[in-house]
């Protein structure tokens, strides 16, 4: 038998970093998953742990780095961690750091004390940093970003067979829960920093969703990805996963009522799932498709 690709690490370490600027506090709330690979043959074949940095150590490193380096952004924090693991241990050759940030908005209060927050509900920021000692890959992203158009969408002219029952429509609700990941050209911080870049990409995704007359969710996906690449020069590739959150008109005729696109049943499953990558011309795809 031959040992194939392998990795190990500590998943979903929750770290909350509070920065106290006098009576004004700032907060970054992360879930950090570390995956390490390298010279790990013997631990699998014989059980020797001589080349293994414990997963408990990786967890402790996350907490220590939150103190020592702070959390300027998920991307920058991931870069600090990946560089540390690969350069500090000879047996570790590659580090992949996945991060999710849970946003908090400040609750306005009278007086100088500003230390109260409410959990933000508009999507979860994500990042993934990979480093092999030479090359960097930095993916930024967002997930759980739920959007909806009440009109401006149709679906017709599709293939049919004996099992097709879906009627064509020229006016439907289009809703989805955006999961997007985008790859920065060379892994360096964009002009204006990671936070500003992330906010800009999310705004372009929302503007494209709202501004596209949709004949299919595939068309909307491509418009969203294209707008990001057109407006963000440092991004070479974006991959979008868009579940179609179906909204079906309720038949109110049995109650003597007309439903003029007013009352819908929101079905949570099954759902259509539309996924695709949009690339800058000349770029090589590198974001995993799974």
């Amino acid at each position: 038998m031959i040992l194939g690709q392998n990795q190990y690490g500590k998943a979903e370490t929750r770290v909350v970093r509070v920065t106290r600027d006098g009576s004004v506090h700032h907060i970054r709330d992360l879930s950090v998953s570390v995956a390490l690979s390298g010279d790990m043959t013997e631990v699998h074949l014989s059980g020797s742990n001589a080349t293994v940095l414990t997963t408990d150590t990786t967890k402790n490193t996350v907490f220590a780095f939150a103190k020592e380096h702070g959390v300027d952004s998920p991307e920058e924090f991931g870069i600090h961690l990946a560089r540390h693991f690969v350069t500090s241990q000879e047996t570790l050759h590659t580090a992949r750091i996945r991060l999710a940030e849970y946003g908090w908005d400040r609750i306005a209060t009278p007086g100088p004390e500003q230390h109260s927050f409410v959990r933000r509900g508009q999507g979860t920021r994500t990042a993934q940093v990979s480093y092999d000692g030479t090359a960097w890959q930095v993916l930024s992203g967002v997930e759980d970003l739920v959007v909806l158009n009440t009109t401006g969408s149709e679906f017709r002219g599709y293939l049919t067979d004996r099992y097709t029952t879906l009627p064509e429509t020229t006016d439907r609700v289009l809703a989805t829960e955006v999961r997007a990941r985008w790859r920065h050209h060379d892994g360096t911080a964009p002009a204006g920093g990671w936070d500003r870049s992330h906010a800009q990409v999310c705004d372009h995704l929302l503007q494209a969703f709202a501004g596209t007359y949709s004949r299919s969710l595939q068309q909307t996906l491509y418009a969203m990805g294209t707008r990001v690449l057109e407006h963000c020069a440092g991004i070479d590739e974006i991959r979008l996963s868009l579940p179609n959150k179906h909204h079906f008109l309720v038949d109110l005729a049995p109650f003597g009522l007309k439903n003029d696109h007013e009352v819908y049943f929101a079905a949570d499953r099954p759902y259509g799932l539309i996924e695709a990558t949009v690339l800058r011309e000349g770029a090589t795809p590198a974001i995993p498709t799974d």
Side-chain angles (χ1 to χ4, degrees), residues 149 203-213 220 223-225 227-228:
N149 286 329
D203 183 63
H204 289 307
L205 290 172
L206 294 177
Q207 292 301 317
F209 178 82
T212 301
Y213 181 87
T220 300
M224 293 168 73
R227 175 163 176 142
V228 169

Side-chain angles (χ1 to χ4, degrees), residues 193-215:
W194 297 109
D195 287 351
R196 181 171 181 268
S197 172
H198 190 274
Q200 288 177 333
V201 171
C202 288
D203 183 63
H204 289 307
L205 290 172
L206 294 177
Q207 292 301 317
F209 178 82
T212 301
Y213 181 87
S214 180
R215 292 176 173 82

Side-chain angles (χ1 to χ4, degrees), residues 146-203:
V146 181
V147 292
L148 181 150
N149 286 329
T150 54
T151 190
S153 175
E154 63 181 55
F155 192 55
R156 56 195 176 95
Y158 43 80
L159 290 171
T160 63
D161 64 14
R162 59 183 292 195
Y163 303 111
T164 302
T165 60
L166 184 72
E168 293 187 342
T169 179
T170 58
D171 188 4
R172 67 170 180 171
V173 168
L174 182 67
T176 187
E177 184 176 304
V178 178
R179 179 175 185 246
R181 292 173 290 168
W182 52 93
R183 179 170 57 84
H184 300 271
H185 174 66
D186 56 4
T188 58
W194 297 109
D195 287 351
R196 181 171 181 268
S197 172
H198 190 274
Q200 288 177 333
V201 171
C202 288
D203 183 63

Side-chain angles (χ1 to χ4, degrees), residues 32-51:
V32 183
S33 295
V34 176
L36 307 173
S37 59
D39 185 9
M40 298 295 150
T41 301
E42 281 305 310
V43 69
H44 287 88
L45 301 188
S46 69
S48 171
N49 294 312
T51 63

